Amino acid sequence: MPLRAFIDEQEVLAPLISDGDWEALKLQRNKQVCLPCCGADGYLRTSKQSTKHFVHKHKTGCDWKPETWQHLLAKTEILRVCQRLGYDAKTEVAGSDWRADVLATKPGKQGLIQIAFEVQWSPQTLEVTQDRQAKYKRDGIRGCWFFQRPPESDVSHDLPIFKLSLDSDNSLVVQTKNKSTPLSQFVEDLLSRRIRFCDHYQIKKTQNAKIVFFPTECWKCKKQSYIYYLENPYYTCCGEEVEDYCCEIPRRFRPEVIAAVRSFLKTDAAKKIRMGEIKTRYSKTVEDSYISFGCSWCNALFGDFYYFGEVNNAIYGDDGSTHTVWETQLTVTESNILDYETHWCYPENGDFCI
């Protein structure tokens, strides 16, 4: 069901025609509607979802496949955004051995910018997608794909693939790891360079931290010392939650956290908190040295197994009456590059990863 046709030799893009003009065109007699996909006659139709499109008048040898209303709606939204941003955009544009759902072109500093948008509401294998993308690349066209069910693949700059779905209102949205964005907004942000491919995640420079101090009984001398855990996570520039295993050192021992804790312990709010020094200690269990909490009385090592057991008990096993909660803002100054996972970075404020 094409969105583009020639009516009396004048090119018409259905999504750009007003409802009134569309109805007037439908009532117009003796008009010739030619479909560019095969040159056959067609007619105007409006779907149950109010999407304006063209249909073949008779069965022909055309290889045009029926399209769902979701596919038509996606093409319509993409076309309108491209046009609004100054691109010369058309639907169902054919090359020597390809046909783009939407082809957007615009003069650039280094020549003509050409972007092909493809919507795959039905399944398509990665191999077929790669083959079609290679044809676009050969012809100097950048391809961008929206899949209802994306094929399994690594995130790639050369093959942009994004997940497309319907929300509860039957509106098209693009699903990224940490948010859901209306398709039209996502395409606008993509064309406006508010989405960028990055090789690494980067921890956001400013982090809101909630540090919870709680008492624990030393396994060795049985006296009480305090340790702490961070209740909320760190985030990357684009809003991804940072897992401790992705970092060189655990978040609780990052330099900015230790510096902030040392400053807090000097305040009146921390008078009752007695903590052992955070430093490198030797563990006989693992036969290695690592940074750790320790007893403020006997300097016994509070190893990782001990620590996580105490944190679990502090969160789920007591009423928190002996806890001290401190909320602060931390400035990350080092070790903020995470050496894993290329990704399409989509930050709220334009502060990209690298």
Side-chain angles (χ1 to χ4, degrees), residues 78-93:
I78 294 169
L79 176 71
R80 286 174 174 169
V81 172
C82 293
Q83 291 270 359
R84 189 173 72 249
L85 294 181
Y87 285 83
D88 179 15
K90 297 179 182 179
T91 60
E92 300 101 28
V93 179

Side-chain angles (χ1 to χ4, degrees), residues 271-289:
K271 279 184 177 180
K272 70 174 184 179
I273 298 175
R274 176 169 176 149
M275 281 188 63
E277 186 180 356
I278 297 172
K279 64 180 183 179
T280 299
R281 295 177 174 85
Y282 182 77
S283 168
K284 293 181 180 179
T285 302
V286 300
E287 298 182 342
D288 199 4
S289 298

Side-chain angles (χ1 to χ4, degrees), residues 114-126:
Q114 300 183 91
I115 306 171
F117 290 95
E118 290 286 355
V119 178
Q120 284 298 137
W121 203 253
S122 56
Q124 178 175 278
T125 66
L126 178 61

